Amino acid sequence: QEAVRIRPDAKQAHVNLGIVEQEMGNLKAARESYERALKIAPDLADVLYNLASVLEQQGEKEEAERLYVKLLTRTPDWEDAWFRLGYLRLQRGEHRGAAESFQHCVRKRSPWPEAQLNLGLALWHIGDQENAAKSFEAVLEQDAHSIDALRGLAALAVEKEDLEKALDLQARLIE
């Protein structure tokens, strides 16, 4: 705070203050610091990510999503930003966009069971049962006891009316 008081135009002082405030759970102050830093230097990728994270925590998901898109336009290899964007899209029911985001994730980092599972959910919601099943199976290859992947496969089996497979998967869930 003292550094910001002495040098109000020092972007790094605002960034550092934002990080400290965010760590302390003071999201309003963190947001203000990040926004000030971005006014000084609008292309700070780390700050865009941190601000989007704060906005998510504050429940401003549309604004957070907008910042993740802006960040990924400038820095397309940012894996965690793709994940957060996919998660926000999945939450609001924009399943095609969520699938696209999670596909970026699994291409960039493998294994990534959380991204793979969310990809399966997004694909399932857009009606791509075959690739959804492949995603859930990929999760099970990484974690044979993934309850969420087993549930996804069981639900797909029920939808396909493959009741024998659904019962087998249900038995695995019970185990």
Side-chain angles (χ1 to χ4, degrees), residues 78-90:
W78 197 304
E79 299 163 355
D80 291 333
W82 279 113
F83 186 89
R84 298 306 316 155
L85 178 61
Y87 184 75
L88 289 172
R89 288 174 170 174
L90 191 62

Side-chain angles (χ1 to χ4, degrees), residues 14-99:
H14 290 288
V15 171
N16 292 345
L17 181 57
I19 292 169
V20 169
E21 295 288 5
Q22 187 174 3
E23 289 292 321
M24 291 175 36
N26 190 350
L27 300 179
K28 183 177 184 243
R31 178 181 181 169
E32 290 169 1
S33 293
Y34 292 145
E35 287 173 341
R36 282 188 205 120
L38 288 172
K39 282 182 183 174
I40 297 166
D43 293 329
L44 297 171
D46 291 343
V47 178
L48 282 172
Y49 183 84
N50 289 355
L51 179 56
S53 173
V54 166
L55 291 168
E56 265 191 88
Q57 291 174 308
Q58 291 182 315
E60 296 188 39
K61 296 178 180 183
E62 289 177 14
E63 184 64 16
E65 188 174 333
R66 187 188 67 74
L67 287 180
Y68 287 129
V69 169
K70 182 177 180 179
L71 171 63
L72 290 166
T73 300
R74 297 174 183 175
T75 315
D77 290 333
W78 197 304
E79 299 163 355
D80 291 333
W82 279 113
F83 186 89
R84 298 306 316 155
L85 178 61
Y87 184 75
L88 289 172
R89 288 174 170 174
L90 191 62
Q91 281 187 317
R92 72 175 171 82
E94 208 281 280
H95 299 112
R96 287 198 187 282

Side-chain angles (χ1 to χ4, degrees), residues 137 140 147 149-158 162-175:
E137 289 165 359
L140 287 175
I147 291 173
L150 288 169
R151 282 184 185 153
L153 286 172
L156 285 170
V158 169
D162 186 348
L163 300 181
E164 187 174 322
K165 183 175 183 176
L167 287 171
D168 288 342
L169 290 163
Q170 185 64 32
R172 286 179 63 187
L173 279 166
I174 291 169
E175 288 174 17

